[in-house]
Amino acid sequence: MELKFELGQVRTIPRHTHNDLEIFFLLKGTVLLELDGTEYTMRENDIILCNSIQVRAAKAKEHNLMFRLTIDRDYLLRETGILDFSLQCNSCSQQHSQNPATYEQIARMIRRMLIFYYQYKQNYTLQLKSILLQLLAFLYEHFYTPPSKCENPNCDPRIYAISQQMKLRYREDLSLLEFAQKEHFSLHYLSRLFKKELGKNFSEYLDDIRLAAAVHDLIYSKDSITKIALNN
């Protein structure tokens, strides 16, 4: 699955996490969306982007119409060449809100994608991909948060870069020694710095990434449990 389009009414979306980028765009009604433990009330035309590994859930009591676009992480890297695609795009958050015109431009691009996908499904590939790349470029330009401005303002950019590499290469046989040699750190120093910056040691952090990937595959793939366990 490179792209997944879902258009419909939200009643309950169970709390879950995965490695892909997910965009929620509410076309009608009201939906309560939870992101990493914080609840946001989405209203018509609100947009929330969920990054890799973030925990998300949603519920609603009234009639609504929600569009969800899920973009595979590997597809995102292949098409953009951008290793770190962490974005803070949330029209419901005062902290991350921008000029309303910025979100309206995103909404227009999403609506165009919906038209091509649902009305011209037999001949939409090039048009849809073109709009998608425009959308990704616009999101990156306006909502990218560099390592020095991540949630922890004192986060060491080298540790942040390592964590992003781990999210991309979690299926490989990764070791702390490999990153220590690459960054010209002693193994002991990197181990202490990693735990200090991320609150977990290297193995625990890698296990969390692999667990999130396994949960994603259980929900979205048709692979057997055995295959998913071997892949993660």
Side-chain angles (χ1 to χ4, degrees), residues 62-126:
E62 63 180 60
H63 179 72
N64 63 81
L65 184 62
M66 175 77 83
F67 173 62
R68 291 171 67 188
L69 171 60
T70 305
I71 306 173
D72 179 76
R73 184 200 59 184
D74 295 330
Y75 174 83
L76 187 64
L77 176 61
R78 185 170 67 250
E79 292 297 326
T80 67
I82 298 172
L83 181 63
D84 175 22
F85 215 92
S86 298
L87 307 175
Q88 302 295 335
C89 176
N90 184 343
S91 64
C92 302
S93 169
Q94 291 184 347
Q95 180 183 358
H96 300 138
S97 62
Q98 300 253 341
N99 188 308
T102 304
Y103 286 102
E104 179 54 36
Q105 191 162 343
I106 297 170
R108 284 198 297 268
M109 285 186 274
I110 292 176
R111 291 191 190 100
R112 288 181 62 207
M113 292 178 67
L114 285 168
I115 291 171
F116 279 111
Y117 186 76
Y118 288 104
Q119 293 188 11
Y120 307 104
K121 202 164 185 175
Q122 299 301 317
N123 187 29
Y124 73 92
T125 306
L126 289 177

Side-chain angles (χ1 to χ4, degrees), residues 17-30:
T17 184
H18 51 71
N19 287 321
D20 302 326
L21 190 74
E22 193 169 28
I23 298 172
F24 291 84
F25 175 44
L26 189 63
L27 292 106
K28 183 178 180 180
T30 303

Side-chain angles (χ1 to χ4, degrees), residues 126-138:
L126 289 177
Q127 296 92 332
L128 185 61
K129 185 174 181 179
S130 173
I131 300 169
L132 175 63
L133 291 177
Q134 290 177 46
L135 174 62
L136 293 174
F138 186 85

Side-chain angles (χ1 to χ4, degrees), residues 38-53:
T38 301
E39 291 187 340
Y40 300 97
T41 300
M42 295 187 70
R43 296 181 174 84
E44 188 172 330
N45 291 324
D46 271 330
I47 299 167
I48 293 181
L49 184 147
C50 302
N51 292 297
S52 172
I53 305 299

Side-chain angles (χ1 to χ4, degrees), residues 105-230:
Q105 191 162 343
I106 297 170
R108 284 198 297 268
M109 285 186 274
I110 292 176
R111 291 191 190 100
R112 288 181 62 207
M113 292 178 67
L114 285 168
I115 291 171
F116 279 111
Y117 186 76
Y118 288 104
Q119 293 188 11
Y120 307 104
K121 202 164 185 175
Q122 299 301 317
N123 187 29
Y124 73 92
T125 306
L126 289 177
Q127 296 92 332
L128 185 61
K129 185 174 181 179
S130 173
I131 300 169
L132 175 63
L133 291 177
Q134 290 177 46
L135 174 62
L136 293 174
F138 186 85
L139 288 169
Y140 191 80
E141 178 183 354
H142 289 86
F143 297 97
Y144 173 64
T145 303
S148 60
K149 297 180 181 179
C150 61
E151 291 183 2
N152 177 3
N154 299 315
C155 178
D156 189 299
R158 296 166 298 182
I159 298 300
Y160 182 86
I162 290 173
S163 72
Q164 298 307 301
Q165 282 280 346
M166 292 171 71
K167 290 177 183 178
L168 288 172
R169 299 172 51 205
Y170 67 91
R171 285 193 172 100
E172 300 177 23
D173 185 18
L174 300 178
S175 70
L176 188 63
L177 178 60
E178 171 193 341
F179 291 105
Q181 292 174 340
K182 186 178 297 184
E183 295 292 338
H184 305 290
F185 288 149
S186 72
L187 185 61
H188 179 67
Y189 175 78
L190 182 57
S191 177
R192 287 192 299 125
L193 184 61
F194 194 96
K195 179 71 177 288
K196 175 186 175 184
E197 295 295 326
L198 298 179
K200 300 176 182 179
N201 64 38
F202 182 86
S203 297
E204 291 170 340
Y205 193 81
L206 183 57
D207 286 345
D208 284 351
I209 294 172
R210 287 171 172 165
L211 178 60
V215 170
H216 169 264
D217 291 345
L218 283 169
I219 295 172
Y220 292 103
S221 79
K222 297 180 180 179
D223 294 338
S224 67
I225 293 177
T226 301
K227 185 175 181 181
I228 291 172
L230 291 172

